[in-house]
Amino acid sequence: MVLSFGTLSAIILVVYYGSRITDWMYLGMALFTWTAVIDSTISLEYLGITENFMSEYLKFGEPYLLSSWGSAICVFDGTGFYIMYLVLIYLFTNKKSWRSVGIYWAGAILNSMIVLITGVFTGKHSATFCTLLNIPYIVFPIFVLFRIFKTQNRSNWVTKTKIQEKFSIKVHDVFLILGFIGSIWIILAKFLVVLGSKVWVFKETVAPETALLLEDPARFYSIQVLLFFFYIIPAQIVSVYYLLQEEKPQYLWEMSAAMAGIMLQV
């Protein structure tokens, strides 16, 4: 555990003093890219592809990563987040706008941290000293969001559609609305099942995920459903409303980017 903190500190110091890079974004992305590789190693250990690389850490450090949700988030960090880090590094190295990708990534990683920390304190697992290793995953994305909204220019997105004729909804908007309605229904069904609903139609809707919702002693998945219900459903309702309107505010695009990042881990 002490070695883990020492390694993290060493990476930051080496990158900071061993290069000419002074932008803290590079330092954060270098650190997170390295930890994504570590999570890939954990996922390989969980799948039985490798042995005894991370077994002691999983036993004494963060045993909750051996749960179904924990192993899945390790796989996602080693693939999805790893690709996002490389894309972000490419974008701000080449002076290109990274606003949308940054919001997308921040929404996704903050969501996973909320679920992880809450699940650790409410499920069968308890917090360990190594749980503190997740603090940078909370603090850094928040600073990234502050930087995005303070310095990054908004993308050229039409905030108001001027149509001479009577406004009519487009075909792709209809598909988006249907998709949102279907998503709202599935989240609602999961939420009610988590609360103990015995209604047949809700149980059948989430039948393939019943074990994760009700039988997994680690409550990560249930917490994720609660977050979806209280935050994603309102965002989707707002999205449906503006899809039916002629004027679409700029924040709708940014909210959609964050929502997409969160829903990526459903």
Side-chain angles (χ1 to χ4, degrees), residues 94-204:
N94 291 277
K95 309 299 182 182
K96 297 182 179 181
S97 175
W98 50 275
R99 184 185 185 91
S100 297
V101 180
I103 294 175
Y104 184 89
W105 165 77
I109 198 166
L110 285 174
N111 167 76
S112 64
M113 285 299 101
I114 292 173
V115 175
L116 176 65
I117 299 301
T118 309
V120 167
F121 286 101
T122 58
K124 71 171 185 177
H125 302 289
S126 58
T128 66
F129 184 72
C130 284
T131 305
L132 297 175
L133 291 171
N134 294 293
I135 292 178
Y137 289 94
I138 301 173
V139 176
F140 183 70
I142 292 176
F143 276 103
V144 170
L145 286 175
F146 275 115
R147 176 166 176 173
I148 288 173
F149 291 117
K150 183 178 180 180
T151 62
Q152 280 285 295
N153 295 323
R154 291 174 179 264
S155 57
N156 295 322
W157 196 59
V158 178
T159 57
K160 183 177 180 180
T161 305
K162 295 182 179 180
I163 303 178
Q164 301 297 330
E165 301 177 358
K166 184 178 179 181
F167 173 72
S168 60
I169 189 170
K170 298 179 180 178
V171 175
H172 63 268
D173 288 339
V174 173
F175 283 105
L176 285 173
I177 291 172
L178 293 175
F180 279 130
I181 293 174
S183 176
I184 290 171
W185 166 255
I186 293 173
I187 294 174
L188 178 62
K190 290 181 179 180
F191 175 75
L192 293 175
V193 169
V194 166
L195 294 182
S197 174
K198 303 298 183 182
V199 179
W200 174 82
V201 66
F202 296 138
K203 295 183 70 174
E204 285 298 314

Side-chain angles (χ1 to χ4, degrees), residues 44-68:
L44 292 175
E45 186 100 7
Y46 179 82
L47 295 172
I49 299 175
T50 60
E51 294 182 2
N52 299 323
F53 278 93
M54 303 295 295
S55 56
E56 292 299 313
Y57 180 80
L58 291 172
K59 183 178 180 180
F60 299 106
E62 295 186 272
Y64 41 81
L65 293 180
L66 287 172
S67 66
S68 57

